[in-house]
Amino acid sequence: MTDSSLTDTTLATESVAPNVKRATPELWGVAWRNIMRTSRRTWLTASGIAFAILLMSLMRSLQVGAFMGAVDNSARIMLGHIQLQHPGYEDDPTIENSIHGIDEIIADVESRPGVEVVSARAQSFALTSSGERSFGAQVIGVQHDKEVVWSSLTRMDVEGRYLQGPGEAFIGSALARNLGISVGDEMVILGTAIEGGVAALVAEVVGTYTSGQPELDRAIVQVSLQDFQSAWNLASDEAHIINVIAESVADSEQLAPQLGRAHVRSMNWRELQPEMVQMMELKLVGTYVLFILVAIIVIFSVVNSFMMIIFERTPEFGMLMAIGMRPHHIIIQLQIEALLVSLLGVFIGLVIAAVGIGILSETGIALPAQAEELTKSMAFPDRMYPVFSLSALYIAIPVMLLGTQFAALIPGLRLRHMHAVEALRAAE
Amino acid sequence: MSDVVVTVRGATRTYNEETVPVHALRGVDMDVHRGDFVSLAGPSGSGKSTLLNLIGGLDRANEGDVVVDQVSLSELNENQLSDLRLEKIGFVFQAYNLLPVLTAEENVGFIMQLQGMSRSERSARARETLASVGLADLADRRPGDMSGGQQQRVAIARAIATRPVLLLADEPSANLDSGTTEELLELLKELNEEHGMTIVTATHDPMVMGYTSRKINLRDGAIVEES
Ligand SMILES: Nc1ncnc2c1ncn2[C@@H]1O[C@H](COP(=O)(O)OP(=O)(O)OP(=O)(O)O)[C@@H](O)[C@H]1O
Ligand SMILES: [Mg+2]
């Protein structure tokens, strides 16, 4: 360090760094071309991602389809898709918590698009007896001419026939057996009418049904609404429940929030069938577990694929760093490539899922014979119509996109400390 | 304004200092003046690439210093070195010079893009530079559709398009046949003589040495002869 010329030049370097204007490199176009250059690998990676998305949407759509079928079936037994009730009736189902003006309400609801049938019920707990035997049961006064249109209970393994007018009773077969009566016999019903009076009714059993669900077969008596109203001292426009049958479960979801009014609460199917909602959520958890397993496998394959990419392109990265590109820009470039591949995969998965589910939702899928038990006990229909469900994808899509970013970053971070010379030498 | 573009003083570069040290450079002194066309010659492993990398700010000396265009490289951090390379130095390597997915024009425009030059300006400059290396017709081709010699010309075009103070070429003709090498050397010579471009190139090839104005011979990491 004795040479004076060095001292001179060193002194002249007060403002050391060159004053460079830098722009963010244009990475998107290059990224797209890069993933298209290794198109075989890109398609393989993308199809892994597509598979995960497809699996998730298919499984979920089948589940939602099956559950929606079950919800619909179950709604059409007795519950209806929507119920209108006195706001206090759910928590305190007393005879006083009734709704008035049912004829106007029914007329209004029936006029709405998407509504199939609307009918009213008045109901109370009562003692039913015949001779020496007595059993408690839910006595329901129904608009039988409408009830028969939608309620499948009226057709379940019926002995005799359904209600046709006053003075008649339609009861569960287990209750009939318990009471020791059959079609043609009389039964006595005793309850507490409004304001504490006694409600008494004698009716002839015209039919019995067997649903296979013990709680329905053991404890329900249907009589005509007029009989109920007069025995329990209700007004002729008074009832406890208005059952709304929509054209589909989906229609009912639209309708439910519009049907509430002063002193009347509208309950949707989720409130009416909470156990079904629980089962769906439980199933969703199972589906996610499977999805996460698939996602992990797919993400590992993405890590692998990006290790290959980085390995193959290390000399190129060395050259880029040598000519002045910053390592973090190369990492960003790879992240963009990962994003494009994952978007491609998600897009393909969604398109295939939408087309496939679209076709299946028209034709339906026959359930296998093993499912027969489920079909019976849980009111599952024998043919299932998948319903395209976005809900599962709200998580599946971000998981795949972020998982791919993460997968690319793991090998990509190595570039942070890579030097241009080493990288260029990597080719040798 | 100084006439000296590069000053190397006492530059030492040792690899694997902890284990078995490899003395790639053992105290090299040299100057490069504006307008020089220098070849670094010497047998394989003599330190040509190492010296070129130190001058280009791609690597750091363990001892001694390198000053490029009045900037002392030992005082710069990694980002500043990167800026210096972007701004002042053109590189041509033996291989992997070009991005295979970009056209010749886009490859030449790449550094200008990093420097923030507008699309139209860099496109015009890239085409003009490609024309000056005799590739006006190949602007829209990708490297895969060009010969090795053409690819090296594109690399030279990219290196000079930003008007660097120094062009460094490490074995630029190693993958070329002698005819193509000659054309490439003619091009470098023309750049040097007609445009005053300062060029330092490392080479084995006697043909290259025949074209340069200065020849520096290295052996075992030291300069043994200069002519
Ligand atoms: N990254 C490194 N790690 C360890 N040793 C290295 C490294 N780079 C170079 N060397 C060693 O330093 C010495 C000089 O290498 P250099 O690449 O500068 O030689 P060269 O003259 O360019 O040779 P060639 O003509 O083969 O390109 C050699 O012995 C080489 O093995
Ligand atoms: Mg070398």
Side-chain angles (χ1 to χ4, degrees), chain A residues 421-422 425 428, chain B residues 13 15-16 22-25 41-51 53 59 94 170-171 202-204 218:
Chain A
V421 177
E422 284 167 51
R425 278 172 64 100
E428 287 166 16
Chain B
R13 181 69 172 97
Y15 292 104
N16 309 329
V22 178
H23 302 285
L25 287 181
S44 187
S46 56
K48 307 182 292 290
S49 295
T50 305
L51 180 54
N53 291 340
D59 193 8
Q94 179 179 332
D170 194 350
E171 317 253 8
T203 186
H204 284 105
L218 287 164

Side-chain angles (χ1 to χ4, degrees), chain A residues 1 3 5-6 9-10 12-13 16-26 30 33-34 37 315-316 319-326 419-421 424 427, chain B residues 9 53 58 64 67 70-72 75-76 78-80 82-87 91 93 96-97 99-102 106 110-111 113-116 119 122 142 158:
Chain A
M1 294 265 183
D3 193 326
S5 71
L6 177 69
T9 40
T10 317
T13 60
V16 221
N19 213 359
V20 181
K21 190 178 136 214
R22 262 186 186 270
T24 312
E26 290 164 8
V30 178
R33 291 194 213 174
N34 274 329
R37 174 158 69 114
E316 175 186 313
M319 177 275 293
L320 288 172
M321 287 189 251
I323 66 174
M325 191 153 157
R326 293 274 173 82
H419 283 274
V421 177
L424 275 163
Chain B
R9 284 295 175 273
N53 291 340
L58 286 169
V67 177
Q70 313 192 36
V71 176
S72 168
E75 289 167 31
L76 302 186
E78 288 302 315
N79 285 342
Q80 290 169 328
S82 173
D83 286 351
L84 175 114
R85 298 194 298 265
L86 179 64
E87 181 81 338
F91 288 95
F93 302 102
Y96 300 103
N97 274 299
L99 286 176
V101 296
L102 299 186
E106 289 164 335
F110 193 85
I111 298 179
Q113 197 265 304
L114 291 181
Q115 292 178 341
R119 189 178 286 270
R122 63 183 198 252
R142 294 199 182 182
R158 180 185 60 196

Side-chain angles (χ1 to χ4, degrees), chain B residues 119-154:
Chain B
R119 189 178 286 270
S120 57
E121 196 182 343
R122 63 183 198 252
S123 166
R125 174 106 58 107
R127 286 186 173 268
E128 181 187 308
T129 315
L130 278 171
S132 75
V133 300
L135 294 179
D137 299 337
L138 303 187
D140 297 322
R141 282 220 197 150
R142 294 199 182 182
D145 302 326
M146 287 188 267
S147 71
Q150 290 166 338
Q151 290 181 33
Q152 290 304 71
R153 279 165 183 269
V154 176

Side-chain angles (χ1 to χ4, degrees), chain A residues 122-176:
Chain A
Q123 57 188 34
S124 177
F125 197 73
L127 197 67
T128 63
S129 50
S130 166
E132 302 287 272
R133 303 190 195 183
S134 304
F135 284 90
Q138 178 83 357
V139 178
I140 308 176
V142 297
Q143 293 180 318
H144 51 81
D145 49 338
K146 283 182 157 178
E147 191 92 10
V148 74
V149 173
W150 67 267
S151 168
S152 60
L153 192 79
T154 63
R155 293 180 291 277
M156 283 180 167
D157 212 350
V158 172
E159 261 177 56
R161 61 168 173 79
Y162 189 59
L163 302 176
Q164 285 175 354
E168 297 177 354
F170 182 69
I171 72 177
S173 57
L175 181 60

